Amino acid sequence: TGQETLQALLVDCAVPQAAYTDEIFEIEFRHFNKEDMQRALRAAGQSDQGTFVHSASETLYTNTAAIDPSAPLSREEAIAQATQTGIRYFAALGIDVVETPVIVERPYDLDAFMEGEAQRYAHMYSDIQPFMERAQTQWVRTHRYETRSAAYTRVTFAVMVEGMRCFTQPSYPAGYCDEPGARVGFEVSACVLVSDSGVLVEASTSHIPQIKARRQLSADEAGQYAALLSQTGSSSLIRSESWQAALSAALQDASHIGGLFAGTEDHLYQNQQMASPVTAYGYQAVITEIVPCLSAITQDEWAMFWVIDVQRQYADGYRY
């Protein structure tokens, strides 16, 4: 009907760092062999025995020794230990990571999983029991054949190259004539699985970049970014000369950012598994981070984009 709906948007983040240099970077992926991984393991104070898998762009180390994973640590202590173990290992491999992890999980700990689900759902719905029952059923089904105990922490890091953060899920146009919208995507990450007893049980890397060459962005290439952004395949990437301009672009076109529109009103919710509806609480959208990063524009070239992270904030201040 032509009516406008206005919503309040909270921006609550540290002042973003300046944009990276406006260049196009020619990238290649680093290769690590078994000897590289063994040297890094020893430098990190870990066993250098196990199985080693490596390809042109990925690695996986698995410690096959029988260990006692348990230790008298709190979950917070186990997470801190696993994070530092990962940082030491990747530093020894010569990989620069963002020390604040992207993801921290207790992948075999049902109690930790259920506590996290209960906390999240308690802020979202008036009755969490239907969601908790479904969550536990799904967890048990997906872990049916798992033999590891709860005493492990998995930490996934974002990767940096020459001090610049890399987007974790880059993609670029595939160039298929019959599928002009097709894209080639991949993961850039560094991940460890550490027992509570301090043993590095698994370590993996994926598509760790290094810069072969760099050149200034030409005026013609700058103009081509407008077309590129309409095909990025990722709503979280914004091409702009500054974080202020990136934020302005996101506010003018919310398709750049997932979750920017809030559901501010409480409403009734019911799915097929629920006997009666519950109240789904309203929330406000909050921008919690604005960061520059590098991402792919072609098979061999990367450039700088902005990533804006958004969370939901509920009336009691809880964010998710």
Side-chain angles (χ1 to χ4, degrees):
T1 60
Q3 293 181 335
E4 290 186 350
T5 300
L6 300 179
Q7 293 185 352
L9 174 67
L10 177 63
V11 179
D12 184 16
C13 64
V15 175
Q17 69 183 93
Y20 301 147
T21 178
D22 204 2
E23 296 176 302
I24 289 181
F25 302 90
E26 185 181 349
I27 293 289
E28 65 181 2
F29 298 121
R30 297 176 61 188
H31 171 70
F32 304 96
N33 59 29
K34 177 179 178 178
E35 290 74 19
D36 296 328
M37 288 185 274
Q38 287 182 313
R39 281 194 296 270
L41 288 164
R42 291 192 295 269
Q46 298 289 329
S47 168
D48 64 357
Q49 299 302 301
T51 60
F52 299 83
V53 178
H54 52 93
S55 67
S57 58
E58 297 181 317
T59 68
L60 173 62
Y61 162 72
T62 304
N63 187 326
T64 55
I67 65 166
D68 180 1
S70 60
L73 300 180
S74 67
R75 287 180 192 148
E76 292 74 18
E77 290 170 331
I79 289 170
Q81 173 181 254
T83 300
Q84 290 304 311
T85 299
I87 290 171
R88 287 194 298 270
Y89 172 73
F90 294 122
L93 260 184
I95 299 173
D96 192 10
V97 299
V98 179
E99 293 191 359
T100 300
V102 176
I103 302 172
V104 176
E105 303 170 282
R106 298 281 288 177
Y108 315 116
D109 189 339
L110 174 58
D111 290 341
F113 172 75
M114 294 301 292
E115 288 174 20
E117 293 293 276
Q119 180 187 49
R120 181 165 64 93
Y121 285 129
H123 296 277
M124 298 173 65
Y125 299 103
S126 59
D127 181 6
I128 70 172
Q129 191 59 35
F131 304 99
M132 296 300 294
E133 292 174 354
R134 183 177 61 183
Q136 180 160 346
T137 298
Q138 291 177 338
W139 194 96
V140 171
R141 182 169 59 248
T142 57
H143 292 73
R144 181 178 303 168
Y145 303 108
E146 183 53 61
T147 59
R148 286 174 173 152
S149 72
Y152 294 87
T153 303
R154 178 179 289 124
V155 183
T156 302
F157 298 91
V159 174
M160 293 192 289
V161 57
E162 296 190 11
M164 295 176 286
R165 184 171 181 154
C166 301
F167 191 53
T168 56
Q169 298 284 340
S171 67
Y172 56 88
Y176 302 144
C177 294
D178 57 339
E179 295 182 70
R183 300 185 66 83
V184 176
F186 52 95
E187 181 180 27
V188 177
S189 69
C191 180
V192 292
L193 178 70
V194 180
S195 72
D196 289 3
S197 57
V199 177
L200 182 56
V201 178
E202 292 178 1
S204 63
T205 64
S206 177
H207 297 90
I208 305 300
Q210 62 183 359
I211 297 174
K212 292 174 58 181
R214 53 206 297 169
R215 57 186 170 82
Q216 288 297 313
L217 186 70
S218 71
D220 289 342
E221 288 168 329
Q224 292 169 8
Y225 272 114
L228 174 68
L229 282 176
S230 67
Q231 308 171 31
T232 56
S234 172
S235 61
S236 58
L237 290 176
I238 300 176
R239 172 68 191 176
S240 197
E241 69 276 7
S242 67
W243 68 264
Q244 294 94 335
L247 178 58
S248 177
L251 297 178
Q252 293 177 35
D253 181 1
S255 66
H256 287 304
I257 307 178
L260 191 59
F261 288 119
T264 56
E265 301 295 327
D266 294 353
H267 63 277
L268 292 179
Y269 173 81
Q270 184 176 13
N271 60 33
Q272 294 179 344
Q273 287 76 42
M274 298 167 62
S276 58
V278 300
T279 299
Y281 299 127
Y283 58 88
Q284 181 180 20
V286 182
I287 291 177
T288 56
E289 191 173 38
I290 305 174
V291 295
C293 69
L294 300 184
S295 190
I297 55 175
T298 69
Q299 181 176 348
D300 303 311
E301 294 180 323
W302 290 26
M304 196 213 81
F305 295 85
W306 293 95
V307 174
I308 298 180
D309 287 338
V310 180
Q311 292 184 327
R312 299 178 177 186
Q313 178 169 296
Y314 290 86
D316 57 4
Y318 175 77
R319 292 181 180 179
Y320 168 72

